[in-house]
Amino acid sequence: MTTIHPRRSVLYMPASNARALEKAKTLNTDAMIFDLEDSVAPEIKEAARLQAVATAKGGGYGEREVAIRTNALTTEWGEADLKAAATAGADAILLPKVNTPDDIATARKLLQEAGAPAELPIWAMMETPFAIINAPSIAAEAKSPNNPLTAFIMGTNDLAKETRASVSGARTAMKSWFSTCVIAARAYGVDVIDGVFNNLDDHNGYRAECIQGRLLGMDGKTLIHPAQISTCNEIFSPTKEEIEWSRKLIAAFAAPENAGKGVLNVNGRMVERLHEEMAQRVVGIADAIAARKHAALQQNTAK
C-alpha cells in the first residue's frame, strides 16, 4: 500500500540560516525545503550546502518531510548540490528550473552516480513556460523505479517573471497553468503543491489563495513564513464532515450485503466505487494527520 504523505504546508527555509533550520523542528508544518537556491547569496552557497547536508543527516524533524532544493544544473553549484544531497538522508530532492523530462533524467543519473538510494524521490519546480508546456511528459517521470518524481512544486514568482503575468487579481492568468499541472500530475499519481503568497500582512488574501489552491485540486501550499502554517493546514485538511461521510461510504461498500455492487444509495446519495476510492484517500490523509499530531505530542512530552 502506498504511504500517504500530507503535504498541506511546505515551508521554505534558507539553508544558510542555522537558527531557522533548528526552529523548524518545532513547527507544525508537514514538510520543509532546505533552500540552496533563491534565498542563498552566491558567496555562501557552498557553506549553505554543507549546512543543509549536515542538518538533514542530523535529523530531529520527526514526521516532517525534509526536502533539499538544489541550484539549477545549469549553474556552477547545481551538480555539486545534487551529489552532496544524494546521501544526506533527506526525504526528497527538489530540482529547480525543470523544463523537460530530460532534466529529471539528468538529475536521476547524477543522484545514482553519487550513491543515492533508489527510493529517494525527486520533486520538480514548475516555474518556466517550458515546464507548463511539458507538464504531462515531466509527470510521466513518476514511473521510474529509481528516484521517481513524486511532486510538482508550483513556482509562481518565477512564472510571473518569465511570462509577465501577475500573481495578483486572483491569479487569473495562471489558473489554466495550474489546471494543466494538476491534470498531468494526477494522471501519474504525483502531488501538486501551490506557490507562495508574498504579502505577509494580507491575511484575507492569503486565506483566499489557499482556498483557491484547494479548489483547483492542489494538495498544499509552499510557505515563506511560519505564521502562514496554521491557516494552510486548516484549509488543506479534510473537514470533519468530509471525514465522517467518507467513513460512512467506505463502511457501506464493505458491508457483506453490498459485496459485488458497483453503485449504492447512501443517505439518499447515489455513489459508485470511484467515490469509495476518493473516500479512502480522505480517510488516509485524515489518519496521517492525526498520527502526526500524536507523534508531535509525544515528542513535546518527552522534552
Side-chain angles (χ1 to χ4, degrees):
M1 182 177 177
T2 303
T3 301
I4 293 179
H5 295 286
R7 292 173 179 141
R8 302 164 296 171
S9 49
V10 182
L11 180 65
Y12 283 107
M13 311 292 295
S16 56
N17 189 332
R19 184 178 177 184
L21 298 183
E22 182 63 26
K23 180 178 175 56
K25 296 177 181 179
T26 66
L27 299 177
N28 189 30
T29 184
D30 287 337
M32 61 201 66
I33 296 167
F34 292 178
D35 185 29
L36 297 173
E37 195 201 19
D38 290 342
S39 65
V40 178
E43 61 269 20
I44 57 172
K45 293 276 191 187
E46 294 183 6
R49 178 195 304 144
L50 293 173
Q51 183 158 269
V53 169
T55 304
K57 285 182 177 179
Y61 291 91
E63 297 297 313
R64 304 167 188 85
E65 287 188 288
V66 172
I68 296 177
R69 179 164 75 166
T70 67
N71 286 280
L73 289 176
T74 54
T75 70
E76 61 186 282
W77 311 283
E79 185 171 337
D81 287 347
L82 265 180
K83 291 181 176 179
T87 56
D91 297 295
I93 303 299
L94 175 54
L95 189 67
K97 304 299 184 288
V98 172
N99 287 312
T100 73
D102 289 342
D103 296 323
I104 304 294
T106 299
R108 182 180 295 121
K109 181 176 182 292
L110 290 171
L111 287 170
Q112 290 296 301
E113 289 174 353
E119 63 271 17
L120 175 65
I122 295 172
W123 295 356
M125 289 294 307
M126 305 297 282
E127 57 185 345
T128 70
F130 275 120
I132 306 304
I133 291 169
N134 295 316
S137 57
I138 294 171
E141 291 299 311
K143 297 185 296 184
S144 174
N146 294 319
N147 310 117
L149 177 77
T150 60
F152 279 172
I153 309 296
M154 301 306 301
T156 46
N157 285 336
D158 277 273
L159 279 170
K161 172 179 172 286
E162 294 292 329
T163 64
R164 303 174 202 148
S166 175
V167 293
S168 61
R171 305 189 295 182
T172 302
M174 296 188 177
K175 287 180 183 177
S176 63
W177 308 338
F178 295 150
S179 293
T180 294
C181 288
V182 168
I183 202 70
R186 295 297 179 254
Y188 294 98
V190 172
D191 277 357
V192 184
I193 311 301
D194 199 358
V196 300
F197 187 82
N198 300 308
N199 189 349
L200 294 176
D201 294 326
D202 185 1
H203 305 295
N204 291 335
Y206 171 63
R207 186 175 189 86
E209 195 165 287
C210 286
I211 292 171
Q212 181 194 54
R214 187 177 183 192
L215 289 174
L216 287 169
M218 292 191 252
D219 299 282
K221 191 168 182 63
T222 45
L223 313 176
I224 57 174
H225 195 277
Q228 297 177 319
I229 295 172
S230 60
T231 297
C232 191
N233 283 348
E234 172 203 340
I235 291 170
F236 284 97
S237 294
T239 65
K240 179 182 177 181
E241 293 74 21
E242 287 172 331
I243 297 167
E244 289 176 351
W245 167 250
S246 295
R247 293 192 189 281
K248 184 177 293 186
L249 194 156
I250 292 167
F253 274 104
E257 63 270 23
N258 293 326
K261 293 182 180 179
V263 181
L264 297 178
N265 183 328
V266 180
N267 288 9
R269 293 172 61 178
M270 298 305 295
V271 294
E272 304 175 43
R273 289 288 176 179
L274 66 89
H275 295 109
E276 183 195 16
E277 292 178 18
M278 294 164 65
Q280 292 282 4
R281 177 161 180 84
V282 169
V283 170
I285 288 285
D287 288 346
I289 291 169
R292 282 195 178 179
K293 287 181 179 177
H294 180 70
L297 182 62
Q298 287 188 317
Q299 184 181 21
N300 292 335
T301 301
K303 291 180 180 178

